[in-house]
Amino acid sequence: MRITASQRFERSRDEVLAALRDPAPLEAVMREMGAQVTRIAEPPAPRWECQLVWRNLPQSLRVSLSEPQVGAVMAILVNADHATAILRMALADLPEGRCRIDAEVQLQAKTLFAKLALRSAGLMRGRAEARLIRLITALGQG
């Protein structure tokens, strides 16, 4: 399943990139989702081990942040037992020193349980896109 969103920032690409490269905002977002977060690698390629409860079951997540195109694309990979997610954020300059992030999340189910969950999430695509916009806003503002 693919979910896309775009968000404009009233800041320059360099300021938004600095916020995205900082591991603290991503850790804060994961903690707000109820995850216990342990950083296991430092920037420039931070990684985390996370634990959270989803649908009343404990889940282990491995999260990593990378910059496949330096200064232009940031990627967050989330690998769990039931599914994987790749969030790619492409940055573009706008007039008057502003910046835009075009984001895409690609979700891939590994189990029947996850396939059913993704199918129900697909029915609520608008809500998923709104959550993605909130996520990239939180990460990009630092």
Side-chain angles (χ1 to χ4, degrees):
M1 181 170 86
R2 185 182 325 185
I3 302 168
T4 60
S6 185
Q7 180 64 21
R8 293 175 182 258
F9 292 90
E10 297 298 322
R11 302 173 354 164
S12 71
R13 177 199 300 234
D14 290 341
E15 292 172 313
V16 173
L17 267 171
L20 291 173
R21 289 173 178 150
D22 180 4
L26 183 55
E27 291 170 0
V29 167
M30 289 187 289
R31 286 187 179 107
E32 286 175 13
M33 293 171 49
Q36 295 176 347
V37 180
T38 303
R39 192 181 315 166
I40 58 172
E42 296 297 325
R47 291 186 331 228
W48 299 267
E49 290 286 338
C50 305
Q51 298 290 322
L52 86 125
V53 176
W54 183 66
R55 299 202 177 202
N56 297 322
L57 296 171
Q59 301 292 320
S60 295
L61 307 173
R62 290 149 310 282
V63 180
S64 60
L65 177 66
S66 65
E67 197 167 347
Q69 293 176 332
V70 177
V73 176
M74 299 291 292
I76 298 171
L77 172 63
V78 180
N79 194 358
D81 294 336
H82 297 288
T84 59
I86 300 173
L87 168 58
R88 293 180 50 84
M89 297 173 284
L91 286 87
D93 292 322
L94 297 174
E96 300 175 13
R98 294 176 294 152
C99 176
R100 182 183 72 233
I101 294 180
D102 294 314
E104 177 181 283
V105 175
Q106 188 73 36
L107 302 166
Q108 180 68 44
K110 296 180 185 177
T111 65
L112 179 60
F113 175 71
K115 287 178 184 177
L116 293 173
L118 288 180
R119 184 169 294 155
S120 66
L123 297 174
M124 298 181 288
R125 183 170 296 278
R127 183 181 288 171
E129 289 170 350
R131 286 182 180 168
L132 179 57
I133 289 171
R134 285 195 307 270
L135 172 66
I136 61 176
T137 301
L139 295 177
Q141 289 179 344

